[in-house]
């Protein structure tokens, strides 16, 4: 009996969420959906490959393939955050306005904040960020220096009513962020927490398959005076980065202090006149902001009265930092950095499946048998199986568009000579090998 791709995804997610034909990523992607706003490749590919579907400006539903990528990205972030000693929590999306009045950000935040009223006419908002909630969470709970250092993180949906939502999921209005908040007794300890996150971020992005460029940054609406942005290089990036050409080499070893000492900034704070390094030592690239870390001392703990007693019995405002990663933006940003004219080229660590299995001879019983056997032998969470009756051309194009790292192609020769083709999506290289060898290679 044949199995469709969607039944496979259903198995993987172990739910009944995927139960209609409409959600078959292949039908969604290739035939019916033509992107209307094709400003940028990642946007076009994320719609055509059936990763997401827009429901309103800047608001998306995540389809099976897109969700798998999102979960893989989350998984890497969660793992490295846990390793750093941070503790996962989940704070609410909807926040009471009074917390923001306390911190005096309610009026300043402006139109990016989605303000709502509940049935009692209380002012509420859909959280664009969570500094206030995090400060409120620990004040009263954490009383002594003995409870610090502490770093809490969450992976949660935010809403920012962006002036111009564009580039698809890269600048959504609703988007998924990993945000973390560190709490320390003094500047020195807070700096340790900051540096530890700096390091953790580099590890996170390297595991996703790329080395980020880290630049000193403006603190904007979050406040404070120490801040770094993490960027993925892509020619279509909104930021221009200026950095010492020694930076990429230094990023290999991750010594945070030397990384911080080198000249690296984004366009909004770079000035040719004040640039401390000679022109010929300066690299210039386009980047997409995928992470941002801040140290802001007592900016929130002071107005919100979050204090701890120190070892000497003094009562001091907690020193805080916050640390964001654009989880859903990364899906788009990684496509923007890894694609060709045929489609997406997922780095292995975040690919929705490792292998795409294509059966070209759907009407040949023997061929179906072989493809089914390969499918069953390789673990199902690794393989996306195209057993549709569509033309060979559609199947090839679709699999390239979806961009899994490997393809196993089962055709006539599988029956006559026991051979299948394996294709590497990065190099495009195709090799004919024995069926058993193909199976061994991917188990
Ligand atoms: P940008 O400069 O792109 O508007 P930001 O500086 O306003 O981003 P931060 O407040 O630093 O964003 O939030 C932390 C991270 O959240 C950002 O580094 C980015 O990766 C992600 N992010 C911010 N806004 C969006 C958005 N509208 N859609 C998707 N991800 C976003
Ligand atoms: Mg912004
Ligand atoms: Mg920014
Ligand atoms: Mg930022």
């Amino acid at each position: 009996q044949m199995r469709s791709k969607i039944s496979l995804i259903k198995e993987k997610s172990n739910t009944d969420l995927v139960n209609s034909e409409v959600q078959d990523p292949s039908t969604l992607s290739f035939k019916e959906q033509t992107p209307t706003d094709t400003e940028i490749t990642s946007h076009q590919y994320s719609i055509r490959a059936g990763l997401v579907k827009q429901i309103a400006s800047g608001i998306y539903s995540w389809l099976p393939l897109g969700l798998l990528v999102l979960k893989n990205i989350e998984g890497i972030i969660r793992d490295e955050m846990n390793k750093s000693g941070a503790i996962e929590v989940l704070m609410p999306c909807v926040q009471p306005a009074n917390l923001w009045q306390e911190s005096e950000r309610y009026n300043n935040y402006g139109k990016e904040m989605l303000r709502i009223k509940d049935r009692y006419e209380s002012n509420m908002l859909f959280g664009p960020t969570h500094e206030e909630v995090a400060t409120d969470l620990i004040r009263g709970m954490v009383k002594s220096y003995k409870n610090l250092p502490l770093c809490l993180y969450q992976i949660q949906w935010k809403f920012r009513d962006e002036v111009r939502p564009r580039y698809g999921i890269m600048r959504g209005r609703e988007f998924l962020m990993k945000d973390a908040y560190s709490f320390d007794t003094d500047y020195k300890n807070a700096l340790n927490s900051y540096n530890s996150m700096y390091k953790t971020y580099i590890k996170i992005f390297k595991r996703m398959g790329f080395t980020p460029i880290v630049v000193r940054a403006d603190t904007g609406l979050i406040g404070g005076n120490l801040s770094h942005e993490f960027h993925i290089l892509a020619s279509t990036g909104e930021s221009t980065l200026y950095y010492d050409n020694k930076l990429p080499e230094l990023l290999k070893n991750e010594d945070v202090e030397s990384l911080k000492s080198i000249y690296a900034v984004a366009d909004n704070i770079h000035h040719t006149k004040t640039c401390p390094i000679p022109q010929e030592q300066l690299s210039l690239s386009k980047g997409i902001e995928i992470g941002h870390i801040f140290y802001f001392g007592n900016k929130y703990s002071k107005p919100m009265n979050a204090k701890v007693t120190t070892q000497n019995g003094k009562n001091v405002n907690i020193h805080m930092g916050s640390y964001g990663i654009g989880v859903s933006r990364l899906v788009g940003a990684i496509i923007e950095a890894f694609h060709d004219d045929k489609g997406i080229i997922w780095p292995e660590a975040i690919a929705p499946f490792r292998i795409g299995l294509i059966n070209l001879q759907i009407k040949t019983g023997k061929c179906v048998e072989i493809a089914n056997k390969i499918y069953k032998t390789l673990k199902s969470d690794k393989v996306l199986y195209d057993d549709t009756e569509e033309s060979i051309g559609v199947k090839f194009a679709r699999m390239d568009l979806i961009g899994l790292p490997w393809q196993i192609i089962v055709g006539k020769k599988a029956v006559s000579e026991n051979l299948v083709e394996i294709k590497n999506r990065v190099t495009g290289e195709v090799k004919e090998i024995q069926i058993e060898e193909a199976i061994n290679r991917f188990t």
Side-chain angles (χ1 to χ4, degrees):
Q1 213 197 327
M2 285 196 300
R3 293 211 246 173
S4 72
K5 290 178 293 180
I6 208 65
S7 69
L8 177 97
I9 294 169
K10 199 166 161 178
E11 249 175 45
K12 156 125 188 153
S13 59
N14 203 17
T15 67
D16 278 322
L17 284 175
V18 187
N19 58 8
S20 69
E21 284 168 54
V22 180
Q23 286 187 331
D24 182 329
S26 64
T27 51
L28 259 182
S29 57
F30 235 61
K31 295 184 218 134
E32 284 114 43
Q33 261 194 316
T34 333
T36 47
D37 166 14
T38 53
E39 249 184 301
I40 201 162
T41 312
S42 61
H43 187 194
Q44 199 183 108
Y45 285 170
S46 62
I47 291 170
R48 283 180 49 211
L51 306 184
V52 294
K53 182 177 191 293
Q54 185 173 311
I55 186 162
S57 169
I59 305 180
Y60 293 85
S61 292
W62 288 78
L63 303 179
L65 285 179
L67 186 60
L68 287 171
V69 178
L70 199 67
K71 293 285 170 198
N72 288 341
I73 290 174
E74 265 188 62
I76 291 173
I77 295 174
R78 186 172 278 117
D79 189 51
E80 290 299 331
M81 288 303 292
N82 291 346
K83 278 188 194 152
S84 81
I87 300 168
E88 187 169 10
V89 295
L90 187 58
M91 295 179 267
C93 304
V94 175
Q95 307 177 12
N98 64 303
L99 281 182
W100 288 68
Q101 280 151 353
E102 263 190 78
S103 70
E104 289 169 13
R105 272 211 295 184
Y106 190 60
N107 295 328
N108 298 346
Y109 210 90
K111 289 201 161 177
E112 258 190 31
M113 180 185 277
L114 180 63
R115 294 155 206 261
I116 42 189
K117 276 194 200 297
D118 69 10
R119 64 167 71 197
Y120 305 107
E121 294 286 305
S122 306
N123 288 316
M124 312 290 283
L125 57 105
F126 198 109
T129 178
H130 281 70
E131 280 77 15
E132 282 79 0
V133 179
T135 310
D136 177 67
L137 180 65
I138 60 107
R139 70 173 164 184
M141 269 172 107
V142 173
K143 297 219 161 74
S144 159
Y145 71 94
K146 288 178 193 156
N147 303 121
L148 304 182
L150 175 67
C151 185
L152 301 177
Y153 77 97
Q154 66 171 348
I155 298 177
Q156 176 64 294
W157 293 91
K158 314 281 186 211
F159 196 96
R160 294 184 185 175
D161 207 348
E162 301 275 353
V163 188
R164 201 170 160 226
R166 57 180 177 167
Y167 298 159
I169 46 176
M170 284 214 281
R171 186 172 296 287
R173 292 196 294 166
E174 187 178 280
F175 62 96
L176 190 61
M177 197 201 284
K178 185 287 300 173
D179 46 324
Y181 303 88
S182 66
F183 308 95
D184 284 282
T185 45
D186 53 34
Y187 175 69
K188 202 174 138 243
N189 282 304
L191 211 57
N192 276 340
S193 299
Y194 185 91
N195 288 350
S196 150
M197 273 303 119
Y198 192 124
K199 240 186 186 151
T200 298
Y201 273 34
I202 296 175
K203 284 189 195 148
I204 286 172
F205 297 129
K206 281 190 176 170
R207 264 183 72 178
M208 289 178 193
F210 63 93
T211 302
I213 291 292
V214 195
V215 299
R216 229 172 350 101
D218 246 357
T219 52
L221 288 168
I222 305 283
N225 48 24
L226 175 61
S227 165
H228 287 87
E229 282 173 3
F230 292 72
H231 289 257
I232 184 170
L233 295 182
S235 56
T236 47
E238 287 185 294
S239 316
T240 308
L241 313 175
Y242 297 84
Y243 52 95
D244 193 314
N245 55 27
K246 292 200 287 287
L247 182 68
E249 187 60 30
L250 275 183
L251 279 160
K252 287 185 185 156
N253 305 310
E254 293 173 27
D255 172 42
V256 174
E257 286 309 332
S258 44
L259 278 170
K260 277 158 79 179
S261 69
I262 212 163
Y263 186 76
V265 295
D267 37 3
N268 53 346
I269 51 175
H270 174 78
H271 302 287
T272 327
K273 278 187 192 156
T274 53
C275 178
I277 59 168
Q279 192 72 31
E280 59 278 10
Q281 204 179 315
L282 198 63
S283 289
L284 200 154
S285 316
K286 291 278 181 190
I288 301 165
E289 182 190 328
I290 44 168
H292 200 163
I293 61 177
F294 302 85
Y295 164 71
F296 44 73
N298 60 16
K299 176 166 195 285
Y300 301 90
S301 60
K302 198 171 172 193
M304 295 183 69
N305 201 29
K307 293 186 162 179
V308 282
T309 40
T310 64
Q311 203 156 4
N312 320 325
K314 275 208 295 194
N315 214 10
V316 299
N317 288 125
I318 298 173
H319 287 249
M320 289 175 57
S322 74
Y323 314 89
I325 294 183
V327 181
S328 53
R329 173 176 289 184
L330 269 164
V331 178
I334 288 172
I335 298 174
E336 210 47 53
F338 299 95
H339 70 262
D340 61 14
D341 57 356
K342 297 191 179 73
I344 305 166
I345 305 176
W346 292 115
E348 291 242 12
I350 62 156
F353 294 91
R354 186 161 178 239
I355 308 152
L357 174 64
I358 307 178
N359 180 8
L360 298 179
Q361 301 281 316
I362 206 74
K363 298 209 167 92
T364 312
K366 217 43 193 149
C367 223
V368 173
E369 217 172 274
I370 291 167
N372 283 352
K373 186 185 155 203
I374 295 174
Y375 172 57
K376 280 180 194 148
T377 314
L378 300 175
K379 283 217 177 70
S380 62
D381 62 353
K382 283 190 198 161
V383 192
L384 180 68
Y385 183 10
D386 189 343
D387 57 354
T388 64
E389 295 195 12
E390 278 154 311
S391 74
I392 292 176
V394 167
K395 287 185 179 197
F396 280 149
R398 174 165 56 210
M399 209 48 104
D400 279 350
L401 173 65
I402 291 173
L404 308 176
W406 296 96
Q407 294 173 13
I408 303 178
I409 301 151
V410 181
K412 277 189 197 134
K413 280 195 181 172
V415 183
S416 58
E417 296 169 57
N418 210 37
L419 289 172
V420 292
E421 285 181 343
I422 59 168
K423 177 175 164 182
N424 180 301
R425 180 66 181 85
V426 180
T427 61
E429 196 191 343
V430 180
K431 257 201 223 160
E432 244 180 13
I433 61 172
Q434 294 284 311
I435 295 171
E436 286 310 313
E437 198 188 329
I439 290 175
N440 287 338
R441 192 176 167 149
F442 292 110
T443 12

